[in-house]
């Protein structure tokens, strides 16, 4: 199992969460809530209002999201879903645990108690330069006050 941190449309209550609970795509087990240890710019960009974490450490906010344990099948699905490595790149990042629900072995409990876990995160280094000038968010909600509703793939 690998740990994945999701901050956008794959979170609970968001438009693509259905993929996280679709066992035909693999297993994803919710572990808890967290935020990036380093600051990153989280922007909503493009004509479909997609959330992107720009891989510019030290700029922006500590981005909030959810931590999952996923199997290899789900990780492969997420790579395809996120257009990895062209649109997003999957990299390891340190995530501060805000609240832990995960039930696992001693290693899991120790990691949660220490407050920081390493997770795969889909961020991007391949973006138009003007995206750096967009508003930065610390968390994402597709129906947030930003007014930029996400456009589902099936509606594009």
């Amino acid at each position: 199992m690998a740990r994945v941190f999701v901050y956008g449309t794959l979170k609970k209550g968001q438009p693509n969460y259905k993929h996280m609970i679709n066992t035909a795509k693999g297993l994803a087990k919710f572990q808890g809530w967290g935020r990036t240890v380093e600051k990153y710019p989280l922007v909503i960009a493009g004509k479909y209002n997609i959330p992107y974490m720009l891989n510019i450490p030290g700029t922006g906010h500590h981005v909030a999201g959810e931590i999952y344990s996923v199997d290899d099948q789900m990780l492969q699905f997420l790579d395809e879903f996120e257009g990895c490595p062209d649109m997003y790149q999957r990299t390891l990042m340190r995530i501060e645990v805000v609240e832990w629900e995960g039930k696992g072995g001693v290693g899991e409990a120790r990691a949660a108690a220490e407050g920081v876990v390493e997770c795969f995160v889909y961020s991007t280094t391949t973006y138009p330069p003007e995206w750096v000038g967009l508003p930065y968010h610390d968390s994402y909600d597709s129906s947030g006050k930003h007014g930029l509703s996400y456009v589902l793939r099936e509606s594009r």
Side-chain angles (χ1 to χ4, degrees):
M1 300 287 277
R3 248 192 228 117
V4 174
F5 175 76
V6 298
Y7 57 84
T9 65
L10 291 167
K11 295 188 308 184
K12 291 179 182 181
Q14 297 304 310
N16 289 317
Y17 177 66
K18 61 187 179 229
H19 299 301
M20 297 299 285
I21 56 173
N22 182 347
T23 54
K25 297 179 189 313
L27 296 175
K29 185 178 174 214
F30 178 76
Q31 298 287 284
W33 293 270
R35 61 187 200 143
T36 58
V37 169
E38 290 202 67
K39 293 180 176 181
Y40 291 92
L42 171 58
V43 300
I44 301 169
K47 62 182 177 179
Y48 303 120
N49 297 322
I50 297 171
Y52 293 92
M53 184 189 303
L54 308 183
N55 198 339
I56 310 172
T59 302
H61 300 287
H62 299 282
V63 177
E66 298 172 352
I67 302 164
Y68 289 84
S69 286
V70 301
D71 66 5
D72 289 343
Q73 183 184 348
M74 178 59 80
L75 194 60
Q76 185 176 353
F77 165 77
L78 291 172
D79 280 354
E80 292 167 17
F81 182 79
E82 299 289 13
C84 186
D86 301 324
M87 190 161 138
Y88 292 92
Q89 296 79 48
R90 175 167 45 97
T91 56
L92 277 173
M93 289 186 187
R94 295 174 60 230
I95 303 299
E96 176 188 354
V97 175
V98 174
E99 187 176 334
W100 192 256
E101 282 191 3
K103 294 164 184 62
V106 174
E108 290 279 327
R110 188 179 312 116
E114 290 169 4
V116 174
V117 293
E118 278 212 326
C119 299
F120 284 121
V121 180
Y122 292 92
S123 63
T124 186
T125 56
T126 53
Y127 53 86
E130 60 270 17
W131 286 10
V132 176
L134 293 171
Y136 297 165
H137 304 273
D138 60 356
S139 67
Y140 175 79
D141 182 341
S142 63
S143 56
K145 61 184 179 208
H146 49 70
L148 302 169
S149 295
Y150 174 77
V151 179
L152 286 166
R153 288 179 185 201
E154 46 271 26
S155 303
R156 296 178 191 169

